Amino acid sequence: MEFLEYSHNLWLVVASLSVSLVAAFTGFSLTRGIAVQPVALRKLSVTLAAIALGGGIWSMHFVAMLGLQLPIPIYYDAMITLGSALIAILMAGAALLLLHFYPRTRASLTAAGCVIGLGIVAMHYLGMSGLQLCRAVYTLPGVVFAVLAACGLSVAAIWVAYGQRRPRNILLGTLAFGTAVFLVHFAAIFGTRFVAVPTVQEIGPVMGNEVLALGVLISSFVLCGAFLLTGVTFLAQGGKAEGVVAKPSEAVPVLRRIPYEQNGQTHFIDARDVAFLRAEGHYTLLYAGTNKHFCTWSITEAERRLSPGPFLKVHRSYLVNPAHVAHFERRKDNGLCHFRLGGQDVTTPVSRSRLAELREALGV
C-alpha cells in the first residue's frame, strides 16, 4: 500500500484556528446568564449556542481540510459531510443541556466535556469518511490518542468556562476550547495516512473543494456575524463601554424598604437586612435576624416590587437574599439554603428549576 505525501497551507491552518476560537466565544457567550431566562427562552439560547459550537467545530475541520494539500484531486460526499455537521451540533447541544438544565457538579461538568469531546472526534472521523478518490487509513494508537485528547481537552475547557460564569472564565474557556478543537483535528491527522482509490463510492452527491469552500465561507460568515453580536453584548455586560459615563443613578443602587405591620402600625425595614420572605397565604413573612415580621404583600407582589433587587425566587413560596445565605446544600432533585438567624440554622427549599439561577448568584 503506497501512502500519499501531504502538506498543509499555513494560512488556512491559521484560519481554521481563528474559526474555532470565534465559534467557542460565540457559543459560550450565548449561554451566559441564561439561568434567569424562562425555560422556553433558555432552550432557544442553548439551541443557538449548540449551532455555534457544533457549526464551528465542523467549519474548523473543513477549513483545515481545504488546507490539506495532496498530490491528487479529492472530492467529498455531500450527504456524509452534512451528517458530520449535524452530529457535531447534536453532541454540543447534549453537552449544553447537561450544563444548563441540570445541577452543575464535578460529575456533570466532566460528563459534558466528554460528550462534546466525543462529538469532536465523531465529526472528524465521519467527515473524513466522506473523502472520495482518496481513503484515510488509521492506526489504533492514533485513534485512541485522538479520543483521549478530545475528551481531556474538552473537559478542561468546560471546567474553565463553567467553573464560574465570569467574563474572565468565558475568555479563558474560549481559548481552551478553540485550541482543543484545533489540536484534536491535527492530532488525528498526524495519525492518519492517505491512499488513492480508483473509484467513487458516494452516498449522496459528490462535491469538490470549490463547493466545500463556498459552504465553509457561508458558515464562517454566519459565525463571524454572531461573534460580533455576542461580543457587543459581552462587553456591555462585562463593564462600561468606552466613552460612556455612568449616571449617578446607575452607579449607586437604589435603597428599597419593605413595609410590615406591628401593633396596628406600619413600619419599614431595609430590604438588604431581610434574609428571606416566605408566603403565608395571601401575605408574606419577613425573616431578619431574630425577628419575623408580617407583610401585607403577597409573594407575587413582593417579587414584582423588589425586582430588580437583591432577592431571588427559589421556590413558589420563597424569595431569598443570596447575601444572607450561610451555606448551600444541593440534594438529588432540589436544594436547601441555610441561614444563621438569631443563632439558629433556618433553611428554605430551592426548587430544581431554580437551582442553576441560585448557584450562579452564589458564584458556585
Side-chain angles (χ1 to χ4, degrees):
M1 184 182 296
E2 183 178 355
F3 295 124
L4 300 173
E5 295 290 333
Y6 65 88
S7 60
H8 286 90
N9 182 303
L10 179 60
W11 292 110
L12 287 174
V13 170
V14 173
S16 68
L17 175 60
S18 301
V19 168
S20 184
L21 292 172
V22 164
F25 177 82
T26 303
F28 290 151
S29 296
L30 282 170
T31 57
R32 182 187 178 198
I34 69 170
V36 299
Q37 296 177 352
V39 173
L41 190 55
R42 203 187 318 168
K43 289 179 180 178
L44 177 61
S45 298
V46 166
T47 300
L48 294 175
I51 293 173
L53 287 176
I57 294 169
W58 180 88
S59 299
M60 178 272 143
H61 170 82
F62 281 102
V63 168
M65 289 303 294
L66 288 172
L68 181 67
Q69 298 175 333
L70 290 164
I72 61 171
I74 56 174
Y75 298 88
Y76 299 87
D77 186 293
M79 191 71 70
I80 295 177
T81 301
L82 176 61
S84 66
L86 295 178
I87 197 168
I89 293 171
L90 287 174
M91 296 291 275
L96 291 173
L97 287 175
L98 277 175
L99 293 168
H100 293 282
F101 286 90
Y102 292 90
R104 283 183 209 147
T105 62
R106 294 180 178 179
S108 64
L109 290 176
T110 303
C114 288
V115 168
I116 204 166
L118 293 174
I120 295 171
V121 173
M123 184 285 309
H124 176 88
Y125 286 111
L126 182 60
M128 296 291 284
S129 70
L131 283 171
Q132 302 294 325
L133 300 181
C134 178
R135 179 168 61 86
V137 179
Y138 310 111
T139 62
L140 181 59
V143 174
V144 170
F145 177 75
V147 172
L148 293 178
C151 292
L153 292 171
S154 296
V155 167
I158 293 299
W159 271 75
V160 170
Y162 281 90
Q164 291 182 341
R165 298 294 281 160
R166 296 176 180 174
R168 184 183 68 174
N169 293 79
I170 292 177
L171 292 175
L172 291 175
T174 292
L175 291 173
F177 185 80
T179 306
V181 176
F182 177 81
L183 291 178
V184 167
H185 171 85
F186 286 99
I189 289 293
F190 181 77
T192 303
R193 298 294 180 265
F194 298 94
V195 295
V197 293
T199 59
V200 173
Q201 296 179 342
E202 75 274 12
I203 297 176
V206 174
M207 60 182 181
N209 275 350
E210 297 82 2
V211 177
L212 178 63
L214 180 61
V216 170
L217 178 64
I218 293 172
S219 67
S220 300
F221 176 79
V222 172
L223 281 173
C224 287
F227 170 77
L228 292 175
L229 292 175
T230 53
V232 170
T233 305
F234 181 85
L235 291 174
Q237 292 177 345
K240 295 179 290 185
E242 184 178 353
V244 178
V245 179
K247 298 178 181 179
S249 60
E250 295 173 339
V252 181
V254 178
L255 295 179
R256 298 180 180 275
R257 299 193 301 169
I258 305 176
Y260 65 91
E261 303 296 321
Q262 188 175 30
N263 299 325
Q265 297 179 340
T266 300
H267 301 266
F268 298 91
I269 185 171
D270 194 318
R272 294 174 299 182
D273 295 331
V274 177
F276 65 90
L277 292 82
R278 178 172 67 86
E280 184 74 15
H282 296 294
Y283 308 104
T284 54
L285 294 177
L286 314 178
Y287 288 77
T290 59
N291 300 314
K292 183 168 60 174
H293 303 297
F294 175 80
C295 177
T296 57
W297 292 350
S298 67
I299 197 72
T300 303
E301 184 179 3
E303 182 183 15
R304 178 178 63 82
R305 287 178 177 270
L306 297 173
S307 179
F311 292 92
L312 289 177
K313 190 171 186 178
V314 297
H315 185 274
R316 65 178 180 273
S317 300
Y318 288 87
L319 293 174
V320 305
N321 186 343
H324 287 266
V325 176
H327 67 274
F328 171 72
E329 178 183 351
R330 188 186 62 81
R331 296 187 170 183
K332 183 177 180 181
D333 294 320
N334 51 31
L336 289 175
C337 285
H338 291 257
F339 301 87
R340 293 296 295 174
L341 302 178
Q344 296 182 344
D345 184 47
V346 181
T347 61
T348 63
V350 182
S351 301
R352 178 176 180 176
S353 61
R354 303 284 181 168
L355 283 172
E357 181 181 357
L358 177 65
R359 287 171 62 85
E360 189 160 336
L362 294 174
V364 297

